[in-house]
Structures are given as structure tokens and as C-alpha cells.
């Protein structure tokens, strides 16, 4: 199979973290674009990346990129790519994608052109007029940005944020990939006490436990490429073994609190599913009376944003009360609060030492980071 180029889509704002992850995994030629990171590797890296990436959204194989100003350009460029290297006779190859700032802006039309081009090439190679598509799934993805088409194959299946531990049917405001990014941006490495006073279903605390233990987040799920005949199952077994060999044993102090007892029940259940229930303690607690006696620690949290008018006022009161509560913390605590609320700093009572723009899905947020210096009392 030889060398492959991988494209890793990311949430906006976390590209640098994903690039760092790839470098730590010794991937070659890591390069960053808005919303995606590229690297070079081999087929055996498909399981490694899927199992171990914390902040990437999925692992795509980039087959090629070319200018596409017309449907003919798109058809010919797609047809010239070596699809038969990846998609065997009988493989299913649905197409999805998007177009931004390009002459070819009709996504359904582009989908059908790409499908036709791939079918034309595979039909010729496999000597078939119609392709059965009864085998494993080879999801084709395309992106057309500024008239450059990129054609990719998805090795992941359901996005990498679906770690396999979250309870079904629970609406959660935060993707696991973004939760992991918040923990990493806080500088947490498993040494300090770690707290999330608005823990909800426990995602941030669970990701902190996975990071502290250095456990691969994808060990409890399956991936599309596991059914691909050209990628031997040994590669998955080896990658899982390599990932487990990198785990640490340790005694970590990770705590999540929420005022809603139902949320705490879900969080505890999720921790069991993630196999970190011995590392995280969840309890019913009111963030407005949050306090700790340890000299240092980290808070990483995603409090309610207050999207509607009444909720917005309640959210502001909550931020104000929480801001007063954390003023009583010892000087060695660091705070990292994600919020889309435009008045967060004013209502919290302190200007952040550092702000980082992030996107929770399509919602623009800021990560407000507060260092060790103690705030003056109001």
C-alpha cells in the first residue's frame, strides 16, 4: 500500500493541539490548516490514529487534491485517482462533502459527479457495468475550498468524539474532543487536583481521567476501517497493545460536581463505561458554594451559557456567585472556563489573564483562563 497522507478534521481553535498529538505519535510532515491537520504515514497508522487521537474529529485518507472550476474538472480529477487501491469489488462507496467559496457550490450535484467518476473507474477495473456495493463501507468525503477539490476516504465511521462511554439519549453541551482540548489547554497532566464544578454528564472530568492515565480514548469502540480487507486485523491488535503499554498507573484527584442529582447519576454511569470510575469522584454540589483547601489545583468547566433571556439572567447570577466562591481559593489554583456569554468576565468579576477562541459545534465561545494571582475582593 505504501505511504499515505492523512487529513484530520478538527473543531476550529484546536488544530495546534491535534498537530502536537500527531508529532508525539511520530507522524511525519505534520501541517496545519484552518479546521484540519495533515500528516503522512502508513496503513498501520490508521488504527494508531483512530485509537489514540483525543482532539481530532476523524481520520481521513487523502487520495488527492486538484483544481475544480467545472463539473468536468471534478469528474476527470476524481476519475484519475487510484480508488481500486482502497475500495475492493463489492465495497459500498457513498459520497458526502461540502463546498466553500467555490464555483462548484451545489453539493448534491458535486456528490453525484464524484460518485459517477469513482463508479466509472471501479467499473472499468473490475469489469462490471453495475457495481453491487454489498460489502464493507468506504465512505468517500470531498471538500471543495477556493476551487480546490480534496477527495478522501473516511477510516473512522461515527466521529472520534463518540468514545463509547456517553449515555444514549442524554443531550450534552460539549463534545468529548472539545472536552479533551480544554483539559489539555489547562496544562493538566495528572499531578494537581482537578475539578469541574458544573460537570453535567461528566465529560470533562472523564477526559481528564483518560489524559491523566494516558489511556487511548478509542479503545472501547469500533471503526469503519476494521472491516477493510486490505488492512490486517493484526494492525488493530498491535495498535491497541501499543496504546495500552503507554498507560500510567497513578492516584489522581479528579472531582466533578453538579447541582442536578440526575446529571451526577449519568456522570457516574459514564465513568464506569469509560473504565475510569476509580479515578473520578462525582457528587451533587452547588458551584455557588465551591471551595477547596489544597494549595493548588485546576478548574476546567463549561457552565450553562443562558441562551434564552430568562436563562441568561440566571446564568449571569450563577457566574457572579461562582466568581465570588473561587475568590476564596488558595493562590495556586488555575481556572479555565468555557463560555459563549459575551458578558462573562464582567459578571464573573474578573478579567481573564488569557482568552482563547474556540467553537463548541457552531457556537463561538471563549476559554477564559485565570492564573494563580488572587483577585481583589469586590
Amino acid at each position: 500500500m505504501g505511504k499515505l497522507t492523512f487529513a484530520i478534521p478538527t473543531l476550529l481553535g484546536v488544530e495546534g493541539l491535534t498537530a502536537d498529538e500527531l508529532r508525539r505519535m511520530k507522524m511525519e510532515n505534520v501541517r496545519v490548516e484552518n479546521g484540519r491537520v495533515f500528516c503522512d504515514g502508513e496503513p498501520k497508522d490508521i488504527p494508531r490514529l483512530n485509537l489514540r487521537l483525543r482532539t481530532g474529529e476523524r481520520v481521513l485518507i487523502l487520495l488527492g487534491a486538484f483544481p475544480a472550476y467545472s463539473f468536468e474538472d471534478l469528474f476527470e480529477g476524481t476519475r484519475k485517482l487510484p480508488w481500486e487501491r482502497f475500495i475492493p469489488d463489492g465495497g459500498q462507496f457513498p459520497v458526502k462533502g461540502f463546498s466553500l467559496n467555490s464555483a462548484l457550490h451545489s453539493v448534491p450535484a458535486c456528490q453525484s459527479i464524484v460518485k459517477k467518476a469513482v463508479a466509472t473507474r471501479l467499473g472499468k477495473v473490475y469489469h462490471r457495468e453495475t457495481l453491487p456495493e454489498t460489502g464493507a463501507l468506504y465512505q468517500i468525503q470531498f471538500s471543495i475550498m477556493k476551487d480546490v477539490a480534496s477527495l478522501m476516504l473516511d477510516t473512522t465511521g461515527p466521529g472520534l468524539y463518540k468514545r463509547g462511554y456517553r449515555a444514549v439519549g442524554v443531550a450534552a453541551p460539549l463534545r468529548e474532543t472539545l472536552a479533551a482540548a480544554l483539559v489539555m489547554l489547562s496544562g493538566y497532566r495528572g499531578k494537581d487536583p482537578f475539578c469541574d464544578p458544573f460537570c453535567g454528564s461528566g465529560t470533562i472530568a472523564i477526559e481528564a481521567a483518560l489524559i491523566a492515565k494516558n489511556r487511548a480514548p478509542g479503545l472501547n469502540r469500533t471503526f469503519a476501517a476494521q472491516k477493510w480487507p486490505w488492512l490486517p486485523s493484526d494492525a488493530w491488535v498491535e495498535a491497541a497493545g501499543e496504546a495500552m503499554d503507554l498507560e500510567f498507573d497513578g492516584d489522581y484527584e479528579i472531582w466533578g460536581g453538579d447541582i442536578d442529582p440526575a446529571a451526577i447519576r449519568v456522570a457516574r454511569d459514564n465513568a464506569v463505561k469509560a473504565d475510569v470510575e476509580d479515578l473520578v469522584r462525582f457528587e451533587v454540589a452547588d458551584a455557588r458554594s465551591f471551595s477547596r483547601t489544597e494549595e493548588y489545583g485546576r478548574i476546567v468547566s463549561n457552565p450553562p451559557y443562558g441562551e434564552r433571556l430568562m436563562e441568561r439572567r440566571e446564568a449571569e447570577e450563577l457566574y457572579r456567585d461562582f466568581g465570588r466562591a473561587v475568590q476564596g481559593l488558595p493562590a495556586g489554583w488555575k481556572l479555565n472556563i468555557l463560555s459563549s456569554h459575551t458578558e462573562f468576565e464582567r459578571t464573573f468579576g474578573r478579567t481573564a489573564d488569557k482568552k482563547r477562541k474556540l467553537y463548541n459545534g457552531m457556537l463561538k465561545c471563549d476559554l477564559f483562563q485565570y492564573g494563580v494571582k488572587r483577585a481583589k475582593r469586590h
Side-chain angles (χ1 to χ4, degrees):
M1 182 64 65
K3 282 280 182 195
L4 298 173
T5 296
F6 297 109
I8 320 289
T10 72
L11 294 169
L12 288 170
V14 306
E15 299 91 344
L17 291 174
T18 306
D20 288 345
E21 287 193 78
L22 293 169
R23 290 186 191 105
R24 282 196 295 274
M25 289 173 69
K26 305 283 192 288
M27 299 303 293
E28 295 171 10
N29 196 16
V30 176
R31 50 222 187 265
V32 177
E33 279 185 12
N34 263 353
R36 54 187 185 175
V37 185
F38 296 91
C39 64
D40 297 338
E42 300 169 42
K44 68 174 185 183
D45 292 313
I46 294 171
R48 291 177 73 238
L49 294 170
N50 276 298
L51 287 166
R52 287 167 59 186
L53 276 176
R54 297 185 192 282
T55 59
E57 293 299 304
R58 55 183 65 248
V59 179
L60 307 172
I61 300 169
L62 179 68
L63 271 78
F66 49 85
Y69 298 100
S70 67
F71 289 134
E72 191 177 343
D73 293 342
L74 183 60
F75 182 89
E76 284 305 321
T78 302
R79 189 180 62 80
K80 285 176 183 165
L81 297 174
W83 296 100
E84 67 279 2
R85 272 178 65 193
F86 303 94
I87 305 173
D89 191 9
Q92 298 177 56
F93 56 100
V95 178
K96 62 183 174 186
F98 65 89
S99 173
L100 287 173
N101 305 326
S102 299
L104 300 179
H105 51 81
S106 166
V107 171
C110 292
Q111 273 175 303
S112 88
I113 296 284
V114 168
K115 179 78 178 181
K116 190 177 172 190
V118 177
T120 300
R121 180 170 181 118
L122 292 180
K124 195 170 179 187
V125 170
Y126 297 134
H127 309 293
R128 287 182 178 273
E129 283 195 16
T130 55
L131 295 158
E133 293 201 54
T134 51
L137 177 67
Y138 298 80
Q139 176 69 59
I140 295 171
Q141 287 209 12
F142 68 84
S143 69
I144 306 174
M145 294 198 278
K146 295 182 178 172
D147 299 308
V148 174
S150 300
L151 274 295
M152 295 156 286
L153 266 187
D154 179 14
T155 72
T156 302
L160 288 177
Y161 68 91
K162 295 194 173 170
R163 313 281 208 228
Y165 66 71
R166 181 174 278 173
V168 178
V170 173
L174 202 64
R175 274 192 179 186
E176 291 86 330
T177 41
L178 181 55
L182 298 180
V183 175
M184 291 159 88
L185 288 168
S186 79
Y188 177 68
R189 296 287 179 272
K191 293 185 172 60
D192 315 354
F194 182 97
C195 298
D196 178 2
F198 300 93
C199 75
S201 58
T203 308
I204 291 174
I206 289 169
E207 291 297 322
L210 293 172
I211 285 167
K213 200 170 171 56
N214 203 32
R215 169 167 292 157
L219 285 170
N220 289 346
R221 55 159 290 176
T222 57
F223 301 94
Q226 281 175 268
K227 293 188 172 156
W228 294 1
W230 56 263
L231 186 59
S233 56
D234 290 2
W236 294 92
V237 175
E238 268 175 48
E242 179 193 10
M244 288 189 273
D245 287 345
L246 295 168
E247 285 188 18
F248 309 135
D249 278 326
D251 191 16
Y252 308 108
E253 196 180 335
I254 302 170
W255 177 90
D258 200 282
I259 202 163
D260 179 3
I264 293 299
R265 282 195 295 276
V266 170
R268 285 175 182 156
D269 193 42
N270 287 348
V272 171
K273 289 197 185 89
D275 201 18
V276 294
E277 73 274 17
D278 54 332
L279 306 179
V280 191
R281 186 164 55 91
F282 288 114
E283 59 187 16
V284 177
D286 188 342
R288 290 171 294 197
S289 53
F290 179 81
S291 68
R292 299 292 286 216
T293 54
E294 300 96 335
E295 284 180 22
Y296 58 87
R298 287 169 206 272
I299 292 171
V300 179
S301 205
N302 177 43
Y305 300 158
E307 294 297 288
R308 299 186 191 95
L309 194 60
M310 185 63 198
E311 288 171 2
R312 194 177 169 83
R313 214 167 299 131
E314 284 170 10
E316 287 178 5
E317 282 172 24
L318 191 59
Y319 297 160
R320 196 169 291 117
D321 293 344
F322 180 55
R324 287 183 186 133
V326 297
Q327 278 181 22
L329 290 173
W333 279 78
K334 294 185 178 178
L335 276 72
N336 298 265
I337 310 292
L338 185 74
S339 180
S340 69
H341 199 301
T342 50
E343 297 292 309
F344 176 80
E345 288 166 297
R346 182 182 61 76
T347 52
F348 186 64
R350 289 170 63 181
T351 304
D353 298 330
K354 204 171 165 189
K355 278 202 302 194
R356 184 165 178 141
K357 206 174 256 59
L358 293 168
Y359 282 80
N360 186 359
M362 296 307 291
L363 192 62
K364 189 165 131 268
C365 300
D366 283 293
L367 180 63
F368 298 95
Q369 298 184 289
Y370 297 87
V372 293
K373 66 172 187 269
R374 195 193 285 265
K376 291 176 186 159
R377 290 187 180 275
H378 290 284

